[in-house]
Every structure is written in C-alpha cells, then in structure tokens.
Amino acid sequence: MDNSKKTVRLPNLLEALLPVLTMVGLMIYVFNFSDRTYDAAHMPLIIGIIVGSIVGIMCGHTWSDMVAGMIKRLDATLEAILILLTVGLLISSFMISGTIPALIYYGLDILTPKLFLPVGCLLVAVVGLACGSSWTATGTIGIAFMTIGQGLGINPAITAGMAISGAYVGDKFSPLSDTTNLAAGVAQTGLFDHVTAMVSTTGPVFVLALIFYTILGMGSNIGTYDPTIAKGIQDAIIGSFNINPFLLIPILVIVVVCILRVPGLPGVMISVFTGVIFSLIFQEPRSLGEIFSVLHYGPSVETGNEFLDAALAKGGMDHQMWTINLIILAVSFGGILEKCGTVEKLFGNLKKRINSVGGLVLATMMTSIFCDATMCDQFLGIGVPAPLYDDKYDDLGLARNMLSRTLEDAGTLWAVMFPWTACGAYQMRTLGISPIKFFPFAFVNLLNPIYAVITAYLGRNIFWADGAYTNLFGKTKMLKNVPNAPEKIHKYAVSQLEKRRAEGKAPSIR
C-alpha cells in the first residue's frame, strides 16, 4: 500500500486571488447588474467556496482538509449564531411588550430635529455598552430611533449612520462584547488593557462624531419637518398599545444583566422572558401558542400607520435565518481561504518590509479590512491578522494592546460597510438601509481607522511594551499599569524597545 502523502504547497498569486476575485466579481454583478432578480450575497459565496476548494485541492490538500478548515471556523462562531437567534426573540418580545413602541412614543416627545442625532448617538452607545452588542443595540433602540428619525423628517441614511456609530462605540468599550474579548484574546493582552487602548482612538473620534452630528442637526431644514408625521405615529401607537413609563423597565433589565456580567446567551434570554411577561401584564393577553408564534415568526402589528407597521414588523427567529445563512456561508468561505493558503500567500511576506509603527498599523488594518471584505466576518477580520503580525509588534517594542486596538479599529468598525458581510447584512436587515448608504454617515466607523493610522505615522498615540505611552503631543510617559502579555513575549518586546531607543528609533521617557 502506498502511504506517501501528496505534497502541500502555497498557491501562486493567481491561484490565491482566484477565489477572492470570483466572489467579489459575482458580488458586483449581483448588486449592480442583476436587475434585482437576485440581491443577496449567498450564491456568490457558495461559488467562492467551490473555487477556493478547487484551489486547495490543486495545492495538495484533500477535500477532508478543506471541510476541516470550514468546520474549524464555524465552530468558533457558533456562539455568535446562537446569540443572533436569541436577539431575534428579544426584538419580538420587546415589540409585543410595548417597550420599543414606548421608546418611539417618548422619543418623539423628547427629541427635536436639531438634538436628535447627537443625543440619539449617545443613547445608542449607552445601550451598546450595557449589553456588549452592537447588534442588540441597533435591534432594539436602533429600530426605535429609525422610526423617530422618520417622524422628525431626518434622512434615514443619516439616522442609520448615527445608530451604527453609537452601537459600535458601546460595543467596543464593553467588556461583555464578543469582539472586544476576541481581540484581547488573540493579541494575548488583558481585557481592560485592550479597552484602555481603544479609548485612545475611539474616544476622540466619538467626540468628533458628536460634533458632526450636532452640526448636521443644527443645519437641518426644519421646513421639511412635518409634525403631523410624528403625531400620526404617536396616535397609532396609543391606539394599538398601552403606553406607560413602566414599559421602559425591560431596557433597564438588559443593563442590570450586563452589569452583573451574566453570560450573553442567558442574559439575552432573561431579557426575552421579561419582555414576554410585560406583554402579558400591559398588553393584550396571548396564549402560549400565540407567544411561541410571535417569538418564532415575528410580530404582525396593524396600527393603521403603514410606516409604523413596517417598522414594528421586526424580530423572530425566522427573521434572523437569512442573516444566519449568510454568516455560515461567509465563515465557511473564510475557512476555505485560510486553508488553501490565500491569506498566507497574500500577506505572509508583507511584514518583512515593515519598519515603522505607522506602516505596521496600516498593514494590520488593511489585512483586517481585506479579511472583512473577502471572508465576510468581523471575527475573521480580527482573528486572521493577529498571528500574522503579532511578532512584528514585539520586534518594534510595542505593547500587545496596541495590536488588539488596531485589530478592532479596522476589523470591527469597517466590517459593517460591506453589504455581504455578516455585520453589514444584519444591520441592513435590521435598520432597513444599505451600508452603502449609511456608512458615509457612520462617522465613528468611517474615521476611526483613519485617525489611528495618521496618529501612528506621526509617532503619536502609541502604547509601548514597558508601559510607556506616547500621547497626542508627542510626550512619552509611563502609565500606572504595564499592558499584560505573556512573560516571554513581554521580556523580548521590552528588550527590543530598549534597543530601538538606544538607536534613536523609539522615543525615550520624558
């Protein structure tokens, strides 16, 4: 019997690019030239998986190897898929309880066209921070603000961009966030070291975004604001729901659950049960079968207001399945690209040419964005570049939370700009606006990577392995805590930093 194994090799450049070009080309056709006969990313991804598998087999892998590559990546995202299912239940329960309608009703009373955008962004950020999920934030208060914004006469793309900005700020700063924990984990640094580093880029950009939203609000054409729209929405809500301040309690339950650090899945389910109980107390009675039907298929709301009915027809497990199908295919495609050698071929030698902090930050971000766009998942945009560049961060004497921050600055924030990624598809389905339309107004997501790259090239806003930090004014001072890293890695990075300081390539502590 022949026990020899077929030699496995890296693909050549054309082979490495073939699955990516195939998928991207089909995406361009679907979203621009298919005459809307088909407008989803699923089929291009399937074809991309097939082409990537063929490339892998041509390079010496077996079909079993390719399947293993897909399964490995799918296994890492199963919890996110389960959370997505429960978010569908959560949205349904908050709809039938009257919680989201109440948010819309009171929001129309409190917010004005001029203050809506900055205040709304802050509120969405608070919800995102409390629940640790940009998806939950946009799926609850984000939906409410989309309706409020329409009632105030604000462009839905701007409202969606505002909601995305707030949701992702809250998500990034939350220790409960899956991407926040993932970035800290793959970079091998402490969770709160990572959060501290993110504040240095996302914090200033968030302030800038609030200023921009304030300017947009102040410059809004009040003449386009028709108060009868808001009044009509409020009348429709009052006619269909029992509205009172107690209906906002389920939102507080989400906050409490997250403060207590209840794990994601049980935490969301507690909120789901709260919403169901409130629906029985404050709204019309439903049988167990009717409750199951609403949670599974989503609510059917008839208020007499066509726009409001469409806005409230959200939630349910079935509503999430389109996105879950996309996530499964997207993650499988990412696993295929990784297994067949595309990622290693395209980026494996890039870091040899990097000799500056700015260049390293830019390369890491470009790789993350490439993974977002081609592997269609923010988890891969974080997880794939980390092992490619982590030793280069050590060579330059950087702290590992500098790596984790950079992964999130691009891998998390720009994943939502592509309609075919899991994030982009979910937000498009939830908010009803294409990422192509709302991303120019998602100022935090748009500007954060740009701000991070510019400051890195200027030698500012840098965390060093020994606990020093170079601030925006170019002064390098020691922080109270040294960012966490494995002991061996930390010692090596510090020794490299001392060597670079002696050579004048890294700033000294002043």
Side-chain angles (χ1 to χ4, degrees):
M1 185 172 67
D2 184 9
N3 291 323
S4 63
K5 294 184 178 179
K6 189 175 180 180
T7 302
V8 175
R9 63 175 176 83
L10 280 179
N12 59 42
L13 182 60
L14 178 60
E15 290 170 337
L17 288 172
L18 189 58
V20 177
L21 293 176
T22 300
M23 191 276 294
V24 173
L26 289 173
M27 291 288 190
I28 293 172
Y29 165 75
V30 163
F31 289 106
N32 293 278
F33 304 107
S34 65
D35 297 326
R36 297 186 179 180
T37 54
Y38 183 77
D39 62 353
H42 300 62
M43 294 309 300
L45 282 170
I46 289 176
I47 302 300
I49 289 170
I50 293 172
V51 174
S53 299
I54 292 173
V55 170
I57 292 171
M58 289 170 56
C59 293
H61 294 282
T62 65
W63 171 243
S64 296
D65 292 336
M66 306 312 294
V67 172
M70 289 189 285
I71 291 176
K72 178 182 177 181
R73 286 302 174 185
L74 286 170
D75 182 63
T77 58
L78 279 178
E79 184 177 1
I81 290 173
L82 291 174
I83 289 175
L84 182 57
L85 282 173
T86 60
V87 168
L89 302 178
L90 177 65
I91 295 172
S92 280
S93 70
F94 276 24
M95 288 295 186
I96 63 173
S97 67
T99 297
I100 290 179
L103 278 172
I104 296 172
Y105 182 87
Y106 291 121
L108 288 171
D109 272 340
I110 296 172
L111 298 175
T112 67
K114 291 187 179 296
L115 295 178
F116 171 71
L117 293 173
V119 173
C121 190
L122 280 169
L123 292 175
V124 178
V126 169
V127 173
L129 176 66
C131 64
S133 170
S134 59
W135 289 14
T136 302
T138 56
T140 52
I141 193 171
I143 293 175
F145 281 147
M146 289 300 295
T147 309
I148 295 170
Q150 184 75 9
L152 296 174
I154 294 176
N155 184 341
I158 297 177
T159 303
M162 172 273 288
I164 291 293
S165 286
Y168 276 80
V169 167
D171 187 304
K172 283 189 68 177
F173 288 170
S174 175
L176 304 176
S177 167
D178 48 9
T179 54
T180 300
N181 282 274
L182 175 63
V186 297
Q188 296 180 284
T189 191
L191 175 60
F192 290 99
D193 293 327
H194 170 50
V195 173
T196 299
M198 286 196 297
V199 170
S200 68
T201 52
T202 305
V205 172
F206 186 38
V207 173
L208 284 175
L210 292 177
I211 293 172
F212 291 153
Y213 288 131
T214 301
I215 293 172
L216 277 177
M218 292 298 179
S220 61
N221 184 5
I222 305 301
T224 64
Y225 171 49
D226 183 0
T228 62
I229 296 177
K231 185 64 167 59
I233 292 173
Q234 287 183 313
D235 290 344
I237 290 174
I238 285 292
S240 302
F241 295 92
N242 175 20
I243 299 298
N244 61 74
F246 291 109
L247 295 177
L248 302 179
I249 291 177
I251 298 292
L252 297 179
V253 171
I254 293 181
V255 175
V256 171
V257 162
C258 294
I259 290 175
L260 296 177
R261 301 201 173 191
V262 177
L265 280 171
V268 174
M269 289 308 301
I270 290 172
S271 301
V272 170
F273 285 123
T274 302
V276 170
I277 291 171
F278 271 59
S279 74
L280 296 175
I281 295 174
F282 294 104
Q283 310 303 332
E284 64 183 64
R286 287 181 170 90
S287 68
L288 184 59
E290 290 173 328
I291 293 173
F292 284 170
S293 178
V294 169
L295 295 178
H296 190 157
Y297 302 110
S300 177
V301 181
E302 296 181 3
T303 64
N305 183 299
E306 183 177 352
F307 172 79
L308 183 62
D309 290 347
L312 298 182
K314 306 283 186 181
M317 283 197 302
D318 266 16
H319 190 264
Q320 307 296 82
M321 293 310 299
W322 186 94
T323 304
I324 289 173
N325 288 339
L326 181 59
I327 291 173
I328 292 172
L329 291 172
V331 173
S332 297
F333 182 61
I336 287 290
L337 290 186
E338 190 174 13
K339 193 66 178 179
C340 77
T342 289
V343 175
E344 185 177 352
K345 177 64 179 179
L346 295 179
F347 297 103
N349 294 322
L350 177 61
K351 64 182 179 183
K352 296 179 182 178
R353 305 176 183 178
I354 299 171
N355 53 24
S356 70
V357 175
L360 180 56
V361 168
L362 178 60
T364 306
M365 287 188 175
M366 294 304 294
T367 307
S368 289
I369 293 171
F370 173 85
C371 292
D372 283 341
T374 61
M375 299 183 182
C376 310
D377 185 79
Q378 64 180 353
F379 298 110
L380 301 180
I382 293 171
V384 172
L388 282 175
Y389 297 108
D390 55 4
D391 57 344
K392 195 66 180 180
Y393 280 78
D394 303 332
D395 291 341
L396 295 183
L398 297 168
R400 280 300 182 95
N401 65 342
M402 188 75 180
L403 168 60
S404 64
R405 184 192 81 182
T406 305
L407 292 170
E408 283 235 72
D409 281 342
T412 298
L413 291 180
W414 272 42
V416 73
M417 79 171 288
F418 304 104
W420 56 83
T421 64
C423 299
Y426 172 81
Q427 302 297 359
M428 180 168 60
R429 298 277 287 186
T430 299
L431 301 177
I433 300 291
S434 169
I436 296 173
K437 294 182 179 179
F438 70 60
F439 196 75
F441 301 104
F443 296 130
V444 170
N445 304 62
L446 179 65
L447 299 176
N448 197 312
I450 299 171
Y451 176 84
V453 168
I454 290 174
T455 54
Y457 267 108
L458 293 175
R460 308 289 196 268
N461 206 17
I462 298 172
F463 291 84
W464 302 100
D466 63 349
Y469 170 66
T470 302
N471 62 26
L472 289 176
F473 302 101
K475 294 183 178 180
T476 302
K477 297 182 179 181
M478 291 296 296
L479 299 175
K480 292 182 179 179
N481 299 311
V482 177
N484 190 39
E487 183 177 357
K488 184 177 179 180
I489 291 173
H490 175 69
K491 288 182 178 179
Y492 172 75
V494 171
S495 68
Q496 286 294 105
L497 176 59
E498 292 173 350
K499 179 181 176 181
R500 289 177 62 80
R501 280 176 176 159
E503 297 172 348
K505 295 180 180 179
S508 299
I509 300 173
R510 288 178 280 176

